[in-house]
Amino acid sequence: MTTENTRTYDVIVIGAGPVGENVADRTTAAGLDTVIVESELVGGECSYWACEPSKALLRPALLRADALRVPGIDPAVKNSLDVDAVLAHRDRMSADWKDDDQVAWVASAGIDLLRGHGRLTGQREVSVRTPDGDTVRLRARHAVAVCTGSRAALPPLPGIGDLRPWTSREATSARKPPGRLAVVGAGVVGVEMATAWQALGSRVVLLAREEGLLPRMEPFAGQMVTERLREAGADVRFSVSVTAAERGRDGAVRATLSDGTDVVADEILFATGRAPRTEDIGLDVLGLVPGEWLATDDSLTVTAVPGEWLYAVGDVNRRALFTHQGKYQARIAGSVIAARARGQRLDTGRWTPHSGTADTEAVPGVVFTDPEIATVGLTTAEAERAGRDVEVVDYEIGRLAGAVQYRPDYRGRARVLIDRDRQVVVGATFAGPGVAELLYSATVAITGEVPVDRLWHAVPAFPTISEVWLRLLETRRDA
């Protein structure tokens, strides 16, 4: 039997991933009664199919790579990884794909949870089809926030459905390593999954249509990752694309490449980008195109919809496709919604409570490969395209005493970009083992617009890898 009822809230959030949870937490803390709608697992892509499981697969691989090069430890780690133990750890970090703890947190935060598929049906209105077949109509007094995230985008390859390819979801939740894995894509997902499954025993071929890996980052980052993947046994090929592929009766995938060669694998992973989860959330009712990204201003308000009531937060707006950046946007959006509900004027200048300035000026990211890659702000190519006059300062991290202590054969590189006019750091890239923990200091330098001369007074402890900051300053001085 199908029933229908109507409920009214101050705020409706569609999507209970980390972004939606943070929007709801902020609005609830501000005294606005909030409901969050979720059609899958509470906790979203990051918790079950992206950040948590992928890093659980990668951590043992990276730790072993370091330990193999540390005197006194290397004999103890020469054997292969315990695949069953690694996968069991992955399962624990993904909560065994159960969302009980996340549901409990939502309740503890005073947020209502409604399971089902939510669709916009009008201004401040959402219809939810529940798993039982019921329809619940929701009305918002103040705001609706779309936090539905993104999904893997598959290429328009003939017969791709019959191919049964892996996407990022299958790559992070597979029950065993494939004997042979073809990875299509030169971006973060491609290189991380190539790193993980190669370490777990798969024979990996990585196919990049670009001329190098991680093409949106500094070239040296992709070059260093390429070297290590090849040293580990992966077959890395550039300037090729898959033109045809089929899965045979034996279960193997046979892919034909643009250079005329073939690749045979047990599984093929397409890590070829993301698409917004907006194809069936009622955008047409508002005059928007289903399946498209939702453009917003810096307050995360959807610009194409009048009335300042619809918000798009996280991946769905394509501003910066990182979980941490989506959570940052959620904090901004929650503050904006609360301010408007109180009739307060927004403070939308740079680096203010109601402006997502970091989305365009200081987006941090880490690629958990061997070596790790950590970036924030501009790259050299981006600075050139934007016409920014910057100084480029490089330093070989392996020359640091702290780096040698970390790993005697340490290879790494640091680069900072300094705005010549303002004399502040506007970009940083680090490549090397353990550099992820350098990233926050660079992020603070950029967002705080710390004068370069003041950085001389930020004394790094000896012997640590963070001493690279002092060496970068000295390199710039000596130049």
Side-chain angles (χ1 to χ4, degrees), residues 134-421:
D134 294 339
T135 299
V136 179
R137 293 179 61 85
L138 301 176
R139 292 197 177 109
R141 299 183 186 93
H142 299 292
V144 176
V146 177
C147 307
T148 49
S150 65
R151 56 176 173 78
L154 292 173
L157 196 67
I160 196 166
D162 297 332
L163 189 61
R164 303 190 305 279
W166 276 11
T167 68
S168 52
R169 283 197 170 195
E170 290 77 20
T172 56
S173 61
R175 307 314 304 173
K176 63 179 181 179
R180 300 163 297 179
L181 174 64
V183 180
V184 184
V188 175
V189 173
V191 297
E192 286 192 344
M193 290 298 93
T195 299
W197 289 111
Q198 178 74 35
L200 289 169
S202 298
R203 296 196 302 277
V204 172
V205 55
L206 177 56
L207 307 171
R209 67 179 181 182
E210 297 85 354
E211 296 179 356
L213 299 184
L214 303 172
R216 296 184 180 180
M217 299 181 182
E218 299 286 3
F220 66 79
Q223 290 164 6
M224 293 180 69
V225 173
T226 300
E227 291 172 8
R228 284 296 298 125
L229 279 171
R230 285 175 170 165
E231 287 174 11
D235 179 2
V236 184
R237 308 185 194 180
F238 299 123
S239 302
V240 293
S241 58
V242 177
T243 58
E246 62 178 2
R247 190 178 288 273
R249 292 182 179 179
D250 60 355
V253 174
R254 290 167 175 81
T256 301
L257 307 184
S258 56
D259 63 1
T261 62
D262 293 330
V263 168
V264 180
D266 298 295
E267 300 293 349
I268 185 168
L269 163 63
F270 284 99
T272 49
R274 307 291 295 178
R277 292 182 180 273
T278 61
E279 62 274 11
D280 188 26
I281 61 169
L283 293 187
D284 51 317
V285 174
L286 304 178
L288 304 176
V289 180
E292 293 293 316
W293 304 95
L294 292 173
T296 73
D297 59 19
D298 283 349
S299 71
L300 289 310
T301 307
V302 176
T303 53
V305 176
E308 297 180 334
W309 62 273
L310 185 64
Y311 299 79
V313 194
D315 277 14
V316 74
N317 61 34
R318 208 183 191 180
R319 289 169 64 93
L321 276 67
F322 292 100
T323 296
H324 49 266
Q325 208 66 23
K327 292 163 71 173
Y328 162 77
Q329 293 176 13
R331 296 190 290 271
I332 300 295
S335 296
V336 170
I337 292 168
R340 283 177 171 158
R342 297 174 183 137
Q344 297 173 348
R345 184 176 179 178
L346 297 187
D347 184 358
T348 57
R350 292 176 70 251
W351 308 116
T352 57
H354 304 137
S355 178
T357 311
D359 284 345
T360 55
E361 298 194 31
V363 176
V366 177
V367 188
F368 290 89
T369 46
D370 178 18
E372 288 180 345
I373 310 298
T375 69
V376 61
L378 296 174
T379 63
T380 307
E382 289 169 342
E384 290 175 353
R385 285 195 297 268
R388 300 283 291 271
D389 185 12
V390 297
E391 297 177 62
V392 179
V393 186
D394 289 341
Y395 189 80
E396 297 298 322
I397 303 177
R399 295 164 60 187
L400 295 168
V404 177
Q405 292 282 8
Y406 188 96
R407 182 162 151 174
D409 69 339
Y410 196 106
R411 287 183 291 168
R413 187 172 175 184
R415 170 172 291 181
V416 294
L417 307 183
I418 299 171
D419 186 296
R420 291 185 191 275
D421 294 330

Side-chain angles (χ1 to χ4, degrees), residues 350-351 357-358 360-364 375-379 388 415-418 422 424-430 439-451 455 469:
R350 292 176 70 251
W351 308 116
T357 311
T360 55
E361 298 194 31
V363 176
T375 69
V376 61
L378 296 174
T379 63
R388 300 283 291 271
R415 170 172 291 181
V416 294
L417 307 183
I418 299 171
R422 297 165 53 218
V424 295
V425 177
V426 293
T429 297
F430 305 100
L439 190 57
Y440 190 68
S441 58
T443 304
V444 170
I446 293 173
T447 60
E449 298 179 333
V450 181
L455 290 176
W469 281 103

